[in-house]
Amino acid sequence: MAGDQLQVLNALDVAKTQLYHFTAIVIAGMGFFTDAYDLFCISLVTKLLGRIYYHVDGAAKPGTLPPNVAAAVNGVAFCGTLTGQLFFGWLGDKMGRKRVYGMTLMIMVICSVASGLSFGHTSKSVIATLCFFRFWLGFGIGGDYPLSATIMSEYANKKTRGAFIAAVFAMQGFGILAGGMIAIIVSASFKAKYSAPSYAENAAGSTVSQADFVWRIILMFGAIPALLTYYWRMKMPETARYTALVAKNAKQAATDMAKVLQVEIEAEQDKIDNMERKDNSFGLFSKEFLRRHGLHLLGTTSTWFLLDVAFYSQNLFQKDVFTAIGWLPSAAKMNAIEEVYKIARAQTLIALCSTVPGYWFTVALIDVIGRFTIQLMGFFFMTVFMFALAIPYHHWTLKENRIGFVIMYSLTFFFANFGPNATTFVVPAEIFPARLRSTCHGISAASGKAGAIVGAFGFLYAAQSTDKTKTDAGYPPGIGMKNSLIMLGVANFLGMLCTFLVPESNGKSLEEASGENEEDEVKTTAETELPGNNRTVPL
């Protein structure tokens, strides 16, 4: 296969780390910064939305979003993201990565602003328009997953490819951190300007009218980083692997990469024509794809699904977990803006101490110890810490043990990010052929968002107390926080088992990892045991 390798692709594989690598990381990464900000900032303001639009005079507790509304507000962006991942993943293989890259960013900019505007003042009109625009915001975010991963994998060299793709994804950690910091700044500013009593002291006066601006400003801020990145995305050339292997234009691929790498590259159209004559291509729904990559796709989809069930449940409902163990005061002891401030402060602390470091541990080590090891280790420790929190749950609710709970809860985030949350993003961008790479990454990512939807909707109901008198307004009794955490631990354990379906791609070119240049002939036993043809992970 090495002899058939196009010079332009070989030049990319062996290129030294250069400025264009870091430029690509920043351009693709700022999209992920925005993605994370937009997806997770909603959890900072849902309590505030309940107080503003669902206040009930004379109620003992502040207003909360009804179950169906809370589920919609938390989950509708994930539904849009799932749809966008499938659609733009497919479109990225049909039209090229670059042509649809700017489109996703503009959808995110427009819908971030529109989400904050959410026309009207009645609860129905505000929530309806908020959900509408957050669906389309999610649609744009969804496109960013397969396109960013594919573009970065096809630009990178094989020695540090994992670190570069993981660095793009690691910007998600900064997006989560930025969401908390913006919420702290905005809520602190409004709190200082418009003082108000706690709900227990004065129910009606605890939510000042200006609080309506707080959540709108927080949501709209997500448009700024996306808008700043748009120009640079449009300046990026199409990836050489798409241009050469899918569009079959050797001259354009060589010209584009010669500018990027600043070296002379020969346009080898004859090699591309020879590949085309062999016609070794196969479709997504073919028996050949099933034979070569069926287990791989099952592995990437199942692990991403199981990870996101746990990961998004933990992220979206941190505030409920922290309130349940008494780390945050009860809602009645705070005014509306103060509640936003304290929720944001708690989530920012978690992001700063565990989420962000976890991502960068992966960046540093993924090309050293490999994708498989990091993913297996991450799922293992997530399982251990989740069961350690869940089984002696009563112990952690005692006041003297709350700090211990927060530390262990933080460690589950650390090993999610120094583990499967990063590797499930990296691997699908490496192990599938160029003509199906974006599509398969989109399918894998969409499976993850299906898990996020299960987590967002399921945890909302499941975590309710088994005692009907202690549930939030409008909710039926659930299985309780302890049993919900046990279920998340089980999901992590299943993810660890499914990791064995995913091949190791560390140190291989994309063509080796995907078997893209394999001859379409029956392999001997010796040939199928070569490292480049491994179908499962060596143990």
Side-chain angles (χ1 to χ4, degrees):
M1 191 196 80
D4 293 332
Q5 177 81 312
L6 292 170
Q7 188 184 121
V8 64
L9 304 187
N10 187 60
L12 283 167
D13 281 339
V14 300
K16 293 181 180 178
T17 300
Q18 299 174 32
L19 179 62
Y20 85 91
H21 286 120
F22 295 106
T23 303
I25 288 170
V26 172
I27 293 170
M30 285 309 291
F32 263 87
F33 177 97
T34 308
D35 297 348
Y37 182 98
D38 288 331
L39 284 177
F40 292 112
C41 70
I42 194 67
S43 67
L44 301 167
V45 300
T46 49
K47 297 279 190 182
L48 180 59
L49 290 169
R51 284 186 183 245
I52 296 172
Y53 297 108
Y54 292 91
H55 171 74
V56 178
D57 290 332
K61 296 180 180 179
T64 58
L65 298 179
N68 59 329
V69 174
V73 168
N74 281 301
V76 70
F78 294 137
C79 297
T81 304
L82 187 155
T83 309
Q85 286 164 336
L86 293 173
F87 176 73
F88 286 111
W90 169 79
L91 203 62
D93 283 333
K94 292 298 177 186
M95 294 178 58
R97 290 54 160 134
K98 181 194 170 180
R99 287 180 68 183
V100 292
Y101 206 26
M103 196 187 309
T104 64
L105 211 58
M106 286 313 299
I107 293 172
M108 288 157 60
V109 170
I110 293 167
C111 293
S112 288
V113 174
S115 295
L117 294 175
S118 292
F119 320 116
H121 293 287
T122 65
S123 58
K124 283 187 178 179
S125 62
V126 169
I127 297 300
T129 52
L130 174 62
C131 288
F132 175 80
F133 287 118
R134 279 193 65 78
F135 174 86
W136 290 108
L137 173 65
F139 186 70
I141 289 171
D144 227 39
Y145 275 73
L147 293 172
S148 289
T150 301
I151 285 172
M152 197 64 244
S153 72
E154 293 181 346
Y155 263 102
N157 61 54
K158 66 182 180 181
K159 184 178 179 182
T160 57
R161 186 180 61 238
F164 289 155
I165 305 172
V168 170
F169 195 63
M171 295 299 286
Q172 190 180 75
F174 289 124
I176 295 170
L177 186 62
M181 292 173 66
I182 294 298
I184 288 172
I185 293 167
V186 173
S187 60
S189 302
F190 275 78
K191 187 159 70 85
K193 180 71 174 174
Y194 306 103
S195 60
S198 69
Y199 185 87
E201 293 170 331
N202 183 346
S206 66
T207 306
V208 296
S209 59
Q210 291 83 1
D212 194 49
F213 291 107
V214 173
W215 69 270
R216 295 176 186 274
I217 293 170
I218 292 170
L219 294 189
M220 285 194 285
F221 187 86
I224 296 174
L227 192 59
L228 293 175
T229 315
Y230 181 76
Y231 171 77
W232 297 106
R233 280 202 177 185
M234 293 298 92
K235 295 282 285 181
M236 290 179 77
E238 181 58 87
T239 71
R241 282 185 160 88
Y242 181 85
T243 306
L245 299 177
V246 183
K248 308 296 185 184
N249 188 336
K251 183 178 179 181
Q252 188 64 52
T255 302
D256 287 343
M257 291 306 104
K259 290 177 183 177
V260 168
L261 298 172
Q262 298 181 332
V263 295
E264 288 293 324
I265 298 176
E266 180 186 350
E268 301 169 296
Q269 189 63 46
D270 55 329
K271 281 191 178 181
I272 288 181
D273 293 340
N274 188 43
M275 291 177 191
E276 199 169 10
R277 279 195 298 274
K278 289 180 181 177
D279 194 25
N280 192 31
S281 62
F282 48 85
L284 180 66
F285 300 105
S286 66
K287 288 183 179 179
E288 187 63 15
F289 178 87
L290 184 64
R291 182 182 73 82
R292 294 192 185 194
H293 298 292
L295 283 178
H296 300 164
L297 189 59
L298 177 62
T300 58
T301 52
S302 60
T303 51
W304 209 334
F305 174 86
L306 291 162
L307 164 75
D308 278 7
V309 169
F311 183 73
Y312 280 88
S313 297
Q314 289 174 252
N315 258 300
L316 287 173
F317 303 107
Q318 284 182 65
K319 58 189 181 301
D320 303 303
V321 173
F322 292 149
T323 300
I325 65 163
W327 199 43
L328 293 175
S330 64
K333 294 179 181 178
M334 298 180 281
N335 65 47
I337 297 176
E338 183 184 9
E339 186 173 30
V340 174
Y341 175 80
K342 290 195 173 178
I343 289 170
R345 189 176 62 177
Q347 294 194 195
T348 302
L349 182 63
I350 294 292
L352 191 61
C353 296
S354 62
T355 305
V356 172
Y359 282 114
W360 291 99
F361 265 76
T362 300
V363 173
L365 296 174
I366 191 168
D367 290 312
V368 178
I369 62 178
R371 290 79 164 134
F372 174 78
T373 301
I374 289 178
Q375 183 163 312
L376 192 70
M377 176 196 67
F379 269 129
F380 173 77
F381 282 111
M382 287 172 71
T383 305
V384 169
F385 286 120
M386 196 60 75
F387 283 142
L389 288 173
I391 295 170
Y393 180 71
H394 176 71
H395 167 81
W396 298 116
T397 61
L398 302 176
K399 189 173 182 179
E400 62 270 22
N401 299 323
R402 288 171 187 167
I403 297 300
F405 181 96
V406 172
I407 291 171
M408 294 189 70
Y409 195 70
S410 298
L411 285 169
T412 63
F413 278 109
F414 176 81
F415 282 106
N417 295 312
F418 180 35
N421 194 38
T423 54
T424 52
F425 177 79
V426 173
V427 174
E430 298 180 313
I431 63 172
F432 298 107
R435 64 186 174 279
L436 298 172
R437 185 169 292 133
S438 181
T439 301
C440 290
H441 195 286
I443 292 170
S444 303
S447 178
K449 281 301 165 286
I453 292 167
V454 170
F457 286 84
F459 195 83
L460 197 64
Y461 287 88
Q464 295 295 320
S465 173
T466 53
D467 183 350
K468 191 173 183 178
T469 62
K470 295 180 180 179
T471 61
D472 291 334
Y475 286 86
I479 61 175
M481 189 64 73
K482 174 178 178 175
N483 290 328
S484 297
L485 292 174
I486 289 174
M487 293 298 292
L488 297 185
V490 170
N492 292 330
F493 177 73
L494 292 175
M496 184 171 65
L497 298 181
C498 292
T499 296
F500 288 93
L501 296 174
V502 182
E504 178 61 81
S505 50
N506 190 26
K508 301 175 184 176
S509 74
L510 292 179
E511 288 66 47
E512 285 179 295
S514 64
E516 188 143 10
N517 292 342
E518 275 186 13
E519 292 293 333
D520 193 15
E521 59 186 32
V522 178
K523 306 285 190 297
T524 65
T525 304
E527 286 175 327
T528 57
E529 288 177 355
L530 287 171
N533 295 324
N534 281 347
R535 295 184 58 85
T536 55
V537 181
L539 298 180

